[in-house]
Structure formats: structure tokens, C-alpha cells
Amino acid sequence: MAGMLLITYQHGPKALGLIAAAAVLIANAFLAKTVCKNGNPDALRAAKLGLQLFVTVLLLFNLIKLGWGRERYRHMVSTGDFSGFSMWMIPQGLVTDNEFMSFPSGHSANAAVIMWLTLLPDFVPALAKRETLLKIFAILWIGCVMLSRIIMGAHFLSDVTMGMTLSLLIFYVFYQRLFCQNGSSSDTAS
């Protein structure tokens, strides 16, 4: 994602995108090795949850966007034509133009993936008493991203709400499957 964002949004060269992606992978591998040096089962489950959550949200939301076809507010404003407005729950058909991929908000969905941070106190001793602070940070981050997407005209309130809600539901399902059914003593994300 780091490489793709540099290329797509910053219009950087593809080589820079590959370098950024490699740097993020190396940093994450180093961090994982440092945190998981004792083979902590909660850390391994959290890593598995984080990877599954990221991949699922990325794939699912892009597939939904392709098939939903909801026009963005900013496109309606720029063309002066509001006849393309549709209710969020009514798919408009297959699209490839980004200006018709408003529902659901991928930015809000990706922002909600930050809920993964609430698992850190289970295996990072320094964060053992910081659960509430992490939850507040995650909620503020998600809220800021949602608000910014509406202000930019990229999404309607229903788009950002569904993006966040679906990601949080996916997080909850993965959390239940990986932490609660395995008999873990972790209760951080509840």
C-alpha cells in the first residue's frame, strides 16, 4: 500500500513506489521479529488477524466498489448534474471510473483497520495499561478520516458509515475466530 499510494496519489515514479514498499516490508519484518522473539501466541494471532483483516478489507471493498457504481458528490458538483444521485443501498452497476466508486468508502474502511492496534497490549508490556488510550486514538483516527472524505466531496455520510461498519464487523469476526475460540485469555478488543 505504501508503494501504491506514492505512485497513485503523489504521482511518483514506479521505482520509488517499489522502494517504499520494500522499506515498509523490511521495517515490519524487523518489528515483528523484535516483538515476537519469544513466540508469544497472542502476538502471532494478532499478526495473523492483522494480515487477514488488511487483505480482506482491501479485496472486498474494491470488489464492492466495482459492482456498486455510486457517483461521488464531487463529480456531481463538477458536472453540475445531480441526476446521478442514488440511494446507497441500490447498486448502479459495474463501473471502472473512480468518480463512480463512492460506495462504500475505502478510506474509511482502511482507517477502521486501525482497530488492530487495540490488540497490542496483549503482547507489548509497555502498553498493558493503555487499552483505553489506544481505543480513543483509533476512534478519533477513524472519525477524522470519515469527516475528511465527506468534506472533500468524495463520499456521502452513508458511504463512510458503511465503510467503517463493514471493516469493524470483519475485525470482530476475525477477533472472535482467532482469540475467543482458541481459548486465549485476551479480552482487549472486547
Side-chain angles (χ1 to χ4, degrees):
M1 284 302 289
M4 189 272 308
L5 292 174
L6 280 173
I7 295 167
T8 304
Y9 294 109
Q10 301 300 319
H11 308 291
K14 290 184 181 181
L16 181 61
L18 293 173
I19 292 169
V24 169
L25 283 173
I26 291 168
N28 283 330
F30 177 75
L31 179 63
K33 186 175 182 178
T34 303
V35 171
C36 299
K37 58 183 154 189
N38 295 329
N40 182 325
D42 283 339
L44 296 174
R45 279 194 288 267
K48 187 175 182 179
L49 186 150
L51 182 60
Q52 289 175 347
L53 179 63
F54 174 75
V55 170
T56 302
V57 166
L58 187 66
L59 293 175
L60 179 66
F61 278 80
N62 283 307
L63 287 173
I64 293 172
K65 285 173 165 291
L66 288 171
W68 217 266
R70 187 174 194 199
E71 188 174 358
R72 295 183 189 274
Y73 178 71
R74 67 179 176 213
H75 186 257
M76 293 178 202
V77 170
S78 70
T79 61
D81 181 7
F82 293 87
S83 64
F85 176 80
S86 62
M87 300 296 290
W88 70 267
M89 74 283 285
I90 302 171
Q92 301 300 304
L94 293 173
V95 295
T96 56
D97 183 354
N98 186 43
E99 292 303 324
F100 292 86
M101 294 184 178
S102 182
F103 183 85
S105 169
H107 282 80
S108 298
N110 289 330
V113 169
I114 202 168
M115 287 306 289
W116 180 88
L117 289 178
T118 63
L119 301 177
L120 290 177
D122 288 342
F123 55 90
V124 179
L127 297 175
K129 303 292 182 197
R130 306 272 193 258
E131 295 93 351
T132 303
L133 184 63
L134 288 171
K135 287 177 184 177
I136 290 169
F137 174 75
I139 290 166
L140 288 173
W141 177 262
I142 296 166
C144 286
V145 170
M146 292 171 64
L147 185 60
S148 74
R149 299 306 289 166
I150 293 170
I151 290 171
M152 291 178 64
H155 295 287
F156 296 96
L157 179 61
S158 55
D159 302 335
V160 296
T161 302
M162 287 304 292
M164 174 210 53
T165 302
L166 290 173
S167 276
L168 291 179
L169 284 172
I170 293 167
F171 172 79
Y172 179 76
V173 167
F174 287 163
Y175 178 80
Q176 290 295 313
R177 188 171 52 103
L178 290 170
F179 280 82
C180 297
Q181 291 180 357
N182 286 335
S184 172
S185 60
S186 306
D187 291 324
T188 302
S190 55

